[in-house]
Amino acid sequence: MSMNTQGRPTAPAADNLAASGGASALLPAEPLLFEIGDRDHSGVDLPDVEVSDDRLGGLRRKSELDLPGLTEPEAMRHYVRLSRRNYSIDSGMYPLGSCTMKHNPRLNEKMARLPGFADVHPLQPTSTVQGALAVMSELSHWLMELTNTAAVSLSPKAGAHGELCGMMAIKAAHEAKGQGHRKVVLVPESAHGTNPATAAFLGYSVKSIDANENGTVDVEAVKAALSDDVAAIMLTNPNTCGLFESQIIEIAQAVHEAGAYFYCDGANFNAIMGVVRPGDLGIDAMHINLHKTFSTPHGGGGPGAGPVVLSEALAPFAPVPFLRKDGETIELVEHVQGDAFGRLTAFHGQMGMYVRALTYMLSHGADGLAQAARDAVLNANYLKARLQDLFSAPFNGQPVMHEVLFDDEFLKGTGVSTLDFAKAMIDEGFHPMTMYFPLVVHGAMLIEPTESESLQTLDTFAATMRELAEDARNGNAARFTSAPTRAPLRRLDETRAARQPRLKWSAPADDRQAAE
Amino acid sequence: MRYLPHSAADRQHMLATIGASSIDDLFAAVPKSVLGTFSPDLPDHQPEFAVEAHMRALANRNHAAGDGPFFVGAGAYRHHVPATVDHLIQRSEWLTAYTPYQPEISQGTLQMLFEFQTQVAHLTGMDVANASMYDGSTATAEAVLMARRITRKNKVFLSGGLHPQYRDTVVTYLSGEEGLECLSPSPEGQGDIIDHIDDDTAAIVIQTPDFYGHIRNVSKLAEAAHAKGALLIVVVTEIVSLGLLEAPGALGADIVVAEGQSLGNPLTFGGPYVGLLACREKFVRQMPGRLCGETVDADGQRGFVLTLSTREQHIRREKATSNICTNSGLCALAFSIHLSLLGEKGLTRLAKLNHSRAIALADALAGAGLEVLNESFFNEMTVRLPVPAAPVVEALAANGILAGLPVSRLEPDKPEVENLLILAATELTTDADIAALVDALKGELA
């Protein structure tokens, strides 16, 4: 067994099971499902009916699936124990920049579970789902009002899927105008990685735009990059440095004059919702991450939802499905008519997220959403004010939006890296901030408190960050390089995971065979 | 505004610390002409009870699947979800966690994803699975792109038995690209793509049980594809079927994509769902999406991390394998919990129960003189009515019976499918439901 020589506890039974007993108090290691489950166990009580093979096309399964089962109490403990090895926004502050980890109200969850929403099929007659279509219609109204745009496509399943939707609409619009030769998309250096990936996905070549010394995109730089080959610019606003692109109206004008479209990455819309309408800035398409801005929970990585709002110019090119009102009845248009570019997914998108987002919007109201954006900006600037004498801010002097960016200049010569600093925050009870993004700044630390955090929490966070920064400067590097020491696990070997990928469990016997 | 913690005094104190006189000062970079100059046509904040009343009123305007006899399937299935599943996924630590970028404090999510990947690999009979996709349809489109990267060939054939909205999604993802061919609908189950495979073929895509319910033997197709250097992509929209049917991996599939909604996830009008994507080990670096891998921590303890991220957009930007930057984490959790509760024994029983209910449905329909097109099926079948199906379905819906999907809803321009109705049964379909359906159909067709 080669694994054991490297210290990995591959013996499933005795050691691991012992670890889940009382001896490890509230932080038990939890064996894998495959180590505690049993093929004869089941937590679901079902009758064992006999069926013949007559109508199975000769394809009845002969092999075993090797899927262990858990009884209900076993399953409860397994997943509760596993859950306790996770940090979450309900456990503490989660200041991940550009990720917007705000409070997830439970009313949203309660509403999404109403049988009238959870137990309806996407393909039952539309006459039987007028309430679901009304949710989509109301949500669309909110999104269009908050952005001052002409249309919205709800179907994208995530932010990056929304980017695909918006850029496909732009591509379709160019083709309809006989401008299919436009093959270049401008993307600022500081953009999310999904922006260039989306452009490339659609066959565009990506031309990077540098940030100026203020951390924003310069209208002159955009003008210099524009030509008859440019299809669009993809710009994030507020940008990933936490700044509002102050020349955005001029940039939009220049882009339009060059015959190109303006795609806005709306990942940071939470900073301006109810305060600034992107349509007033001249955007043509923008996705809105419902899971960030409108508080649908992230669920450990998804699902999200990424509706796209569209300007008058792009509205005809929205994909199917979309809604059409006929008096009191709402119709669902499911087939391509006119210039629509197609279908991005089966069915109609993330209904469960629409219900949650709409519930959140109604709870806050237009006034509350604006106040939430203003408090998010207030909180970020407050942290900036509390930390800027010790931490180094790359674009100092100007107010930030909902997040504040520092770099690792203050750690120079301490022997502590940005990563080490982040791991030390874990020991202090905070989820680390976003690190090494945006790429425009060396050793970036991007902190987004969101509007949910109270003054008291912000003060505790600021005091902790100050104490850590001072300790690093005072030469106590070991505290950082050995961190975390108060997490369920110490630092994980990511290099090994990539070099010797183990992507599924296999029985120790298989390991032995493989090693022999 | 119950979600906002600051008092007016807090805000004043914070502004003083910042050195600003008002929050508006913090928006100095925003052009004055667009700052707060509008009054949207939207209501102000409301108490929880008022919001709840509004949302309940909307929900009550829908006919829920549980409100009466229900036979709609076609890629989304009404199964019972154990109460334990929904309870567990609502725990704060699952529900309100982010992507596990900090593995030391995200081992719950990471271990769950590792278990999920293993379950999906076993279920599909493949070597490796990823940490989930948006849904089955987008996973299918990504699998097609993946096959083109692997083979460096362009031609792709989509079987006529592929769900039409999956087909349309692939068409959109490949818009403008050469080489994609969609074969005509094959409601009789006869259409085959074996003759189309040639040396330029990157992949063929076939669904089983297919859109019309037929179980397809893909092993001959796999052989034919492999002989020409093409890949076989198998699509499964009803994952419960694999409790009774041979795993696609055992029949020669190279990539298996599936919709996982049937396990753990409610219908929810079409989303969020959970896409499954599994493949042979040698293709793993061409897989889209997230992967979770096993490793050790500094003390040698077993742990899990997101891995092989050099394929992904945050590292490779415009050279990434895909622009996808997320997974359906919570839906994958629900899937994994439900499958853990079932285990092999429970899944087999659930699959047999579904099939037996479908047999009862098929026999009742045939007994009423209706033409059932399927010789083989799992829990879904196609019936040819003597008249167009859509108005019949509307008429039955008006009487509280949701009778299935008229194929014309998804294939509106194809008169040959106008009379076809696809019906699904699950473990929740009772004899009384079937009797009510058959009576109503007889009445409507009389």
Side-chain angles (χ1 to χ4, degrees), chain A residues 7-8 43 65-66 79 86 90 116 118-120 124 128 145 301 334-335 343 345 367 375 379 423 490 493, chain B residues 6 11 41 45 62-63 65 92 102 104 109 135 172 268-269 294-295 297 299-300 326-327 340-341 344 409:
Chain A
R8 180 160 32 180
L65 287 172
D66 199 10
Y79 290 101
N86 263 6
D90 287 352
D119 193 27
V120 288
Q124 64 187 69
T128 66
E145 280 293 311
E334 294 178 280
H335 297 281
R343 166 175 288 281
T345 175
D367 55 338
D375 281 354
N379 284 2
K423 298 302 182 191
R490 299 206 32 232
D493 187 346
Chain B
H6 296 328
R11 291 190 181 104
D41 171 27
H45 67 277
N62 296 324
H63 179 115
S92 289
Q102 297 290 337
E104 297 85 1
T109 293
D135 72 345
T172 303
T268 319
F269 200 49
E294 182 184 328
T295 188
D297 79 349
D299 293 332
T326 185
N327 64 325
S340 306
L341 280 166
E344 183 145 357
R409 174 156 173 193

Side-chain angles (χ1 to χ4, degrees), chain B residues 49-205:
Chain B
F49 61 78
V51 176
E52 192 167 335
H54 179 80
M55 296 306 290
R56 279 184 191 280
L58 291 176
N60 289 340
R61 290 172 58 196
N62 296 324
H63 179 115
D67 289 349
F70 185 86
F71 300 90
V72 194
Y77 299 91
R78 179 174 174 249
H79 293 289
H80 181 255
V81 179
T84 301
V85 175
D86 195 44
H87 172 82
L88 284 168
I89 71 167
Q90 285 195 76
R91 275 185 69 91
S92 289
E93 303 88 336
W94 295 119
L95 187 74
T96 75
Y98 195 70
T99 302
Y101 290 142
Q102 297 290 337
E104 297 85 1
I105 47 173
S106 309
Q107 285 298 303
T109 293
L110 287 161
Q111 182 171 330
M112 175 277 287
L113 291 175
F114 186 79
E115 294 176 351
F116 169 83
Q117 287 174 183
T118 306
Q119 286 175 313
V120 173
H122 287 197
L123 197 52
T124 54
M126 302 304 286
D127 299 327
V128 285
N130 74 7
S132 79
M133 310 286 287
Y134 303 141
D135 72 345
S137 65
T138 53
T140 303
E142 292 276 5
V144 167
L145 296 170
M146 181 180 161
R148 285 164 50 120
R149 285 195 299 274
I150 292 167
T151 61
R152 297 171 188 272
K153 299 193 278 188
N154 278 340
K155 218 189 260 186
V156 176
F157 293 101
L158 305 185
S159 152
L162 181 64
H163 192 295
Q165 292 190 332
Y166 281 47
R167 175 197 67 206
D168 295 347
T169 303
V170 177
V171 169
T172 303
Y173 266 65
L174 265 73
S175 59
E177 301 263 333
E178 306 263 310
L180 182 66
E181 196 170 324
C182 311
L183 305 182
S184 301
S186 49
E188 314 282 346
Q190 300 301 316
D192 212 339
I193 49 183
I194 205 156
D195 300 333
H196 294 264
I197 305 167
D198 62 23
D199 288 330
D200 299 326
T201 306
I204 54 177
V205 182

Side-chain angles (χ1 to χ4, degrees), chain B residues 227-411:
Chain B
K228 298 284 187 187
L231 303 186
L232 175 67
I233 299 172
V234 172
V235 178
V236 181
T237 61
E238 173 50 292
I239 199 71
V240 174
S241 67
L242 294 180
L244 193 54
L245 298 176
E246 197 58 83
L251 300 171
D254 297 289
I255 304 174
V256 179
V257 289
E259 174 51 67
Q261 172 267 326
S262 283
L263 292 179
N265 289 280
L267 287 167
T268 319
F269 200 49
Y273 287 178
V274 49
L276 316 182
L277 193 151
C279 69
R280 302 204 176 280
E281 188 142 31
K282 60 185 170 184
F283 303 141
V284 70
R285 284 170 203 275
Q286 291 299 332
M287 262 185 153
R290 288 185 182 144
L291 285 166
C292 173
E294 182 184 328
T295 188
V296 291
D297 79 349
D299 293 332
Q301 294 293 314
R302 177 172 65 187
F304 303 93
V305 293
L306 294 179
T307 193
L308 298 181
S309 56
T310 48
R311 305 161 298 117
E312 292 186 82
Q313 41 70 34
H314 61 275
I315 306 273
R316 295 260 288 167
R317 296 174 82 82
E318 66 263 36
K319 295 189 186 70
T321 53
S322 163
N323 83 332
I324 192 169
C325 157
T326 185
N327 64 325
S328 293
L330 200 70
C331 301
L333 172 66
F335 177 99
S336 194
I337 296 172
H338 193 178
L339 190 52
S340 306
L341 280 166
L342 286 164
E344 183 145 357
K345 187 168 118 183
L347 180 69
T348 305
R349 286 185 173 187
L350 180 63
K352 288 199 292 190
L353 200 49
N354 270 260
H355 187 52
S356 76
R357 296 318 299 152
I359 289 172
L361 173 62
D363 288 350
L365 292 165
L370 292 165
E371 182 189 359
V372 180
L373 300 189
N374 302 63
E375 283 179 18
S376 68
F377 58 86
F378 171 63
N379 67 352
E380 189 157 30
M381 66 211 66
T382 302
V383 168
R384 193 193 317 272
L385 300 180
V387 295
V392 174
V393 168
E394 280 296 339
L396 265 61
N399 291 315
I401 297 172
L402 296 182
L405 174 74
V407 177
S408 60
R409 174 156 173 193
L410 302 193
E411 300 278 21

